[in-house]
Amino acid sequence: MLPFKTLIQTDKTLKLPVYQQIANRLIGLIQEGILKPGLFLPGSRVLALQLEVHRKTVIAAYDELVSQDWLVAMPRKGVMVAANLPVMKPRTYRDAASPYEDAAAFPFHEVPTITLAGVPPAAGTLIINDGFPDARLAPLADWVKECRSVIESPRYAKLLMYGGATGLESLRKQMLEYLSDTRGLNISMPHIMITRGAQMAIYLAAALLIKKDDLVIVGSPNYFFADLCFEQLGAKLLRVPVDEEGIDVDMIEQLCGKRKIKMLYLVTHHHHPTTVTLSAARRMKLLAVIRKYKLPVIEDDYDYDFHYSSAPILPLASADHGGNVIYIGSFTKSLGLSIRIGFMIAPADFIEAAANLRRLMDLRGDNLSEQALANLLADGTIERHLKKSNKIYKERRDLLCHLLSTKLGDAVKFTVPSGGMAIWLRFSKKYPLKKIAAKAGELGLHMTSGGQYHYGAASQNALRFGFASLNNKEIAAVVGVLEEVCEFCLGSGLR
């Protein structure tokens, strides 16, 4: 039904009777082609309700138009726009120029951005992604079952209405036990906040710490969306090299001794993008630096749950850091990228401030998803899924490393990661990634040229090769395409 309340405006202060105003406007709508011949108009009660007038007023307007042959009264059907009117070109709202076609007429703040892969791949295309989980392995049947159980619960209506910015209490309680068992975190309810993914947690934490021109230490290279977040908040980034043992802690200490550092951001396990893990020796030294300089730290531990070679080193957050570490993690890697559930662990007063900030853009979390996750943690589904996934992902990692070594040889270099979902794959200078990616695209393989991984840092002609979302057959096919591309490069002088 057309929005007659918007199309027909009346003014009771005018001398012209309201019914006549309605009649005149209906004639105009017919002449403009909005009301086409043969169209039935709303019943008098319906239109009167929309226009907030008495039903008799609408009846009078309809009678007037019937008498002028604009409308035809159809017994037991209503009133219809006369079919024998002169032919008029129909016009709809879609025909009018959109007021949003041009750029904004007002100034606004620019947001730092980075160009990612351009054209979305077609269905069925092979893809090298950043390191995503395999949605085919996710416990979605269990997830749907728990969501249905929550919806059918007598307390569902109450569950939908209430819930704070720190997240559903039932999930936070389950998280206390889970994080204690898996990460050695000694925390209580006031120390935990549920967020919509780890990225929200990073932004909330940084927004409470950073002001314009503050100095923030990050790795080089670093997780580019974190860099963009800090730059948006006005920070100046001090980039510290990352090698095979993780970020250079000696340089962090030197910077803290010479300058006022507002914050340190680092990924301690499976560093993004290089996948290295911060060594135990560097962790111990870094903790001393943190305590000495009272250095606020955002520890991003986005895929701690996925480790293959040995038990992971506990995060900084589990050690004596003097209340300076804000620990961030996510369940997105476990459940699927579209299920956005992350968490932040911090001192209680910081969590309270983060909740107040979160309310300004998101009053409360997704209670349905949070309750479903709480149930899956409680019944052991998540633990069983992670155990199964780790076994499969390890097998895929090992297969990929074997194929890369045997098929690509000296065209690439990599270190077998101890965990995570990606390999940091560095190509020889003989094989420029930009041209490799373009040729691979012609052969049905969608991959990045790696530019985003070197934001603010020197290019290493490298990319993250996500293996977790590819099964063994797909891994072999992807490496096969890369082998063909590399052979083409050597034979055609693509360099």
Side-chain angles (χ1 to χ4, degrees):
M1 181 184 293
L2 288 168
F4 286 98
K5 184 175 182 178
T6 302
L7 294 172
I8 301 175
Q9 302 292 322
T10 61
D11 187 348
K12 296 181 180 180
T13 65
L14 299 179
K15 293 183 178 180
L16 188 67
V18 172
Y19 87 91
Q20 192 65 59
Q21 295 178 41
I22 296 173
N24 291 347
R25 183 58 187 137
L26 287 172
I27 292 173
L29 294 173
I30 294 172
Q31 292 174 330
E32 293 167 17
I34 294 176
L35 300 180
K36 294 181 285 293
L39 175 72
F40 277 92
L41 297 183
S44 57
R45 286 189 177 86
V46 174
L47 187 58
L49 186 63
Q50 285 197 39
L51 302 183
E52 297 179 353
V53 298
H54 198 281
R55 180 192 175 203
K56 291 184 179 179
T57 302
V58 175
I59 292 174
Y62 280 172
D63 288 345
E64 178 69 19
L65 295 181
V66 169
S67 67
Q68 296 181 31
D69 295 328
W70 289 102
L71 300 180
V72 176
M74 306 289 289
R76 294 184 297 278
K77 291 185 178 181
V79 292
M80 179 186 75
V81 178
N84 59 350
L85 293 174
V87 177
M88 288 171 270
K89 182 180 179 181
R91 185 178 71 84
T92 68
Y93 293 111
R94 295 176 184 172
D95 297 325
S98 170
Y100 295 103
E101 287 182 351
D102 298 325
F106 47 84
F108 57 90
H109 298 297
E110 294 292 333
V111 176
T113 187
I114 191 169
T115 302
L116 300 176
V119 180
T125 302
L126 291 170
I127 300 172
I128 298 178
N129 60 42
D130 183 77
F132 300 155
D134 191 340
R136 295 168 293 192
L137 300 181
L140 296 181
D142 296 305
W143 177 263
V144 171
K145 177 182 177 182
E146 289 302 333
C147 286
R148 183 181 297 113
S149 174
V150 173
I151 292 172
E152 294 174 350
S153 169
R155 56 186 290 267
Y156 179 59
K158 182 179 180 181
L159 184 67
L160 281 184
M161 293 177 62
Y162 300 101
T166 54
L168 208 61
E169 183 176 342
S170 56
L171 176 57
R172 292 162 65 214
K173 286 182 178 178
Q174 288 296 327
M175 290 290 293
L176 294 180
E177 181 177 351
Y178 177 76
L179 294 175
S180 175
D181 291 343
T182 60
R183 292 157 172 81
L185 294 180
N186 182 16
I187 55 175
S188 57
M189 288 287 282
H191 302 137
I192 184 169
M193 174 180 181
I194 307 300
T195 61
R196 294 187 191 272
Q199 189 64 37
M200 174 189 271
I202 292 171
Y203 188 89
L204 289 173
L208 291 175
L209 294 171
I210 298 173
K211 293 183 180 179
K212 183 175 174 55
D213 295 330
D214 281 342
L215 300 180
V216 172
I217 296 176
V218 298
S220 179
N222 192 47
Y223 175 44
F224 51 90
F225 275 126
D227 286 352
L228 294 174
C229 169
F230 306 149
E231 289 181 339
Q232 165 67 16
L233 294 167
K236 293 182 178 179
L237 303 186
L238 302 178
R239 300 185 182 277
V240 173
V242 174
D243 59 26
E244 64 278 1
E245 290 189 61
I247 196 166
D248 187 336
V249 176
D250 288 336
M251 185 173 289
I252 292 175
E253 185 177 26
Q254 292 171 16
L255 289 171
C256 289
K258 295 177 181 179
R259 311 182 72 173
K260 176 61 177 177
I261 305 301
K262 194 66 177 181
M263 188 189 85
L264 164 66
Y265 168 87
L266 78 166
V267 183
T268 48
H269 291 98
H270 323 143
H271 170 262
H272 192 290
T274 68
T275 76
V276 300
T277 292
L278 188 64
S279 67
R282 289 191 180 180
R283 286 170 189 251
M284 296 303 295
K285 183 168 185 177
L286 181 56
L287 284 166
V289 172
I290 291 170
R291 293 191 298 267
K292 178 179 178 180
Y293 292 99
K294 295 182 173 56
L295 176 63
V297 176
I298 293 180
E299 182 180 15
D300 184 356
D301 214 359
Y302 66 100
D303 65 356
Y304 175 92
D305 288 313
F306 297 92
H307 48 272
Y308 316 123
S309 302
S310 60
I313 303 173
L314 291 178
L316 297 175
S318 67
D320 179 15
H321 51 74
N324 292 297
V325 173
I326 301 158
Y327 183 74
I328 288 170
S330 174
F331 281 96
T332 295
K333 297 286 188 179
S334 303
L335 297 171
L337 296 181
S338 63
I339 301 175
R340 307 296 301 167
I341 301 181
F343 56 88
M344 179 197 301
I345 308 299
D349 53 349
F350 190 87
I351 290 294
E352 182 179 0
N356 291 336
L357 178 58
R358 187 242 181 95
R359 287 190 187 95
L360 300 182
M361 56 180 166
D362 189 20
L363 288 175
R364 58 183 60 86
D366 181 348
N367 289 354
L368 173 59
S369 295
E370 291 180 17
Q371 184 60 56
L373 177 56
N375 294 347
L376 292 177
L377 283 169
D379 67 13
T381 297
I382 296 297
E383 182 181 359
R384 292 190 295 273
H385 167 65
L386 290 175
K387 185 176 181 180
K388 172 186 174 183
S389 297
N390 271 276
K391 182 179 179 180
I392 294 173
Y393 292 160
K394 179 183 183 299
E395 179 183 299
R396 293 178 180 181
R397 179 204 64 175
D398 293 345
L399 173 63
L400 175 59
C401 292
H402 171 72
L403 290 176
L404 289 174
S405 297
T406 57
K407 300 293 184 181
L408 300 188
D410 61 2
V412 297
K413 292 182 179 180
F414 62 91
T415 299
V416 180
S418 61
M421 298 185 176
I423 287 175
W424 182 236
L425 191 63
R426 293 166 290 157
F427 280 77
S428 165
K429 292 181 179 179
K430 298 178 182 179
Y431 306 92
L433 251 180
K434 188 173 183 180
K435 294 181 179 179
I436 290 284
K439 184 60 180 177
E442 297 175 8
L443 299 178
L445 172 60
H446 183 82
M447 60 183 287
T448 175
S449 60
Q452 71 270 31
Y453 298 122
H454 309 108
Y455 180 74
S459 174
Q460 298 183 35
N461 199 39
L463 82 161
R464 281 171 63 87
F465 190 131
F467 58 81
S469 61
L470 300 169
N471 60 34
N472 291 352
K473 182 179 179 181
E474 292 163 342
I475 289 173
V478 169
V479 175
V481 172
L482 289 178
E483 182 182 19
E484 184 176 348
V485 171
C486 289
E487 290 175 353
F488 174 80
C489 288
L490 288 178
S492 66
L494 187 61
R495 302 188 301 276

